[in-house]
Amino acid sequence: MASAGVACLPAIRRIAVFGGTHGNELSGVFLVRHWLKDKSELQRPSLEVQPYLSNPAAVQRCTRYVDCDLNRAFTEENLSMPLSDSMPYEVKRAQEINHLFGPKGNENAYDFIIDLHNTTSNVGNCLIMKTSKDDFTIQMIHYIKNTLIHDNCQVLLLENPAVQYGAVRTVAKHCIGLEIGPQPQGVIRANILENMRKLVNSALDFAHFYNEGKEFPPCTLDVYRAFEKVDYPRDSEGQIIGIIHPQLQDNDWKQLKPGDPSFLTLHGRTIPYNGSSAVYPVFVNEAAYYEKKSAFLLTEKVTLKANSVKVSKT
Ligand SMILES: CC(=O)N[C@@H](CC(=O)O)C(=O)O
Ligand SMILES: [Zn+2]
């Protein structure tokens, strides 16, 4: 019998590692291509680990996507759309991925997806989670953070409906996004690739130790919970008239107080942050977010709690 506060959960058997969800974010593309040729680094006795290139057409073109953003395509509407010639490439891909690794929300879905991304913003090592209510994932992230000796790693919670989207990884029962930066689109940097590699290995180690029966005691996890996106200032035609202020640039995760500089116009005027309380911006000046009308995301710090987790023997 489990003692109070211990979540006895099923084993985690099938894990997919996705790269190239965005074809110009190259750390994940290079790692997954490498692992497709030689899986040995990903192998753990209790796990079946599948590396997977999720948007091969975008990878080939070295663009984020071909018709529409694959990491926004996993909506109920898209996944149930009847197949047709006019269907956007990424919607077709979403249905294939849902078939192979899902179905989303179904018992037969993969246990876990690790989705690999890079950002042009200065987030360092960042793990993205979709819910505050998943003990297994909180415990995994807690473990990963503790295995990093010299490096730091922040956790971004995308749970608020204002900042949620149909991400690819949501087809699995549990998931994390790895977001490592700064790295320009279409560029590969050794330090960023190495950091990503360490995080993937650490996540797999955790799943394996868990499957072997190790109990992870209750823990807390400090995360940044996103609640709003902030657009660039624009003119009546929608053209951007203020760029990220030098004092905000590269200052992801650092406190931004009301009145602090956020944008700079080409006339040299500083536009201050006009919120009502201090926030922690993230994804500051991410290249892919200009089209999404997001200059940065606003987050607040919260502490999550997880029960102890242990694999159930049945
Ligand atoms: C820069 C970038 O692509 N970020 C990812 C974040 C995520 O995986 O949730 C995205 O917007 O899809
Ligand atoms: Zn991405």
Side-chain angles (χ1 to χ4, degrees):
M1 270 294 283
S3 55
V6 182
C8 269
L9 303 167
I12 296 289
R13 293 294 176 212
R14 292 186 303 166
I15 300 189
V17 183
F18 283 9
T21 292
H22 296 129
N24 55 9
E25 297 173 1
L26 295 191
S27 305
V29 172
F30 274 59
L31 283 170
V32 164
R33 273 198 191 133
H34 169 73
W35 290 328
L36 284 169
K37 282 187 229 142
D38 178 1
K39 261 195 197 182
S40 53
E41 184 181 354
L42 300 180
Q43 276 161 8
R44 302 292 183 281
S46 65
L47 292 172
E48 193 188 307
V49 185
Q50 182 64 56
Y52 190 73
L53 213 53
S54 30
N55 193 337
V59 168
Q60 207 198 351
R61 290 169 175 78
C62 198
T63 56
R64 185 173 174 90
Y65 55 80
V66 177
D67 292 328
C68 61
D69 195 332
L70 182 65
N71 218 25
R72 303 291 180 276
F74 285 69
T75 59
E76 249 173 65
E77 191 194 347
N78 280 341
L79 296 179
S80 59
M81 197 181 282
L83 200 65
S84 77
D85 287 346
S86 61
M87 192 181 245
Y89 169 76
E90 276 82 5
V91 175
K92 234 178 274 165
R93 264 321 270 159
Q95 293 196 355
E96 282 163 17
I97 290 169
N98 192 41
H99 180 70
L100 289 171
F101 297 96
K104 183 169 172 167
N106 186 285
E107 256 316 286
N108 296 323
Y110 257 60
D111 297 307
F112 208 101
I113 290 177
I114 305 171
D115 192 23
L116 307 181
H117 292 258
N118 295 118
T119 169
T120 62
S121 58
N122 189 29
V123 301
N125 297 325
C126 167
L127 297 171
I128 305 181
M129 56 194 305
K130 69 166 183 185
T131 166
S132 57
K133 293 174 187 65
D134 179 351
D135 286 343
F136 180 82
T137 303
I138 295 174
Q139 288 280 1
M140 178 191 271
I141 293 175
H142 181 256
Y143 174 88
I144 294 172
K145 278 176 71 94
N146 282 328
T147 59
L148 297 172
I149 307 160
H150 304 294
D151 289 306
N152 221 338
C153 176
Q154 311 299 345
V155 185
L156 176 65
L157 174 62
L158 297 182
E159 186 167 51
N160 188 309
V163 294
Q164 252 184 10
Y165 36 80
V168 179
R169 55 187 176 266
T170 59
V171 301
K173 289 180 188 135
H174 313 264
C175 62
I176 50 173
L178 260 58
E179 187 69 74
I180 324 285
Q183 178 169 271
Q185 297 179 334
V187 168
I188 182 95
R189 294 175 58 118
N191 61 326
I192 302 280
L193 179 129
E194 193 47 40
N195 287 353
M196 184 175 273
R197 195 168 199 163
K198 270 192 226 155
L199 295 175
V200 172
N201 274 291
S202 180
L204 297 177
D205 288 343
F206 173 83
H208 173 58
F209 295 146
Y210 164 83
N211 283 337
E212 279 194 317
K214 183 172 166 42
E215 180 175 334
F216 294 87
C219 71
T220 60
L221 184 68
D222 294 332
V223 308
Y224 293 83
R225 179 165 59 193
F227 58 92
E228 195 182 324
K229 57 181 197 180
V230 175
D231 190 13
Y232 293 91
R234 292 171 192 268
D235 66 16
S236 55
E237 279 154 25
Q239 301 285 356
I240 292 175
I241 52 165
I243 61 178
I244 296 288
H245 194 282
Q247 281 183 50
L248 176 57
Q249 179 65 50
D250 298 330
N251 282 323
D252 302 72
W253 315 113
K254 306 254 174 71
Q255 194 178 56
L256 181 72
K257 295 190 290 296
D260 286 349
S262 60
F263 298 103
L264 185 64
T265 71
L266 294 182
H267 287 110
R269 185 169 69 87
T270 292
I271 302 178
Y273 173 61
N274 67 1
S276 55
S277 60
V279 291
Y280 299 86
V282 63
F283 282 126
V284 176
N285 214 351
E286 159 53 40
Y289 289 176
Y290 280 73
E291 68 172 28
K292 303 195 193 300
K293 298 192 163 18
S294 177
F296 49 92
L297 289 185
L298 301 183
T299 78
E300 57 183 353
K301 279 193 201 186
V302 293
T303 301
L304 307 183
K305 283 191 185 141
N307 289 316
S308 149
V309 296
K310 191 172 192 315
V311 72
S312 60
K313 285 288 171 218
T314 51

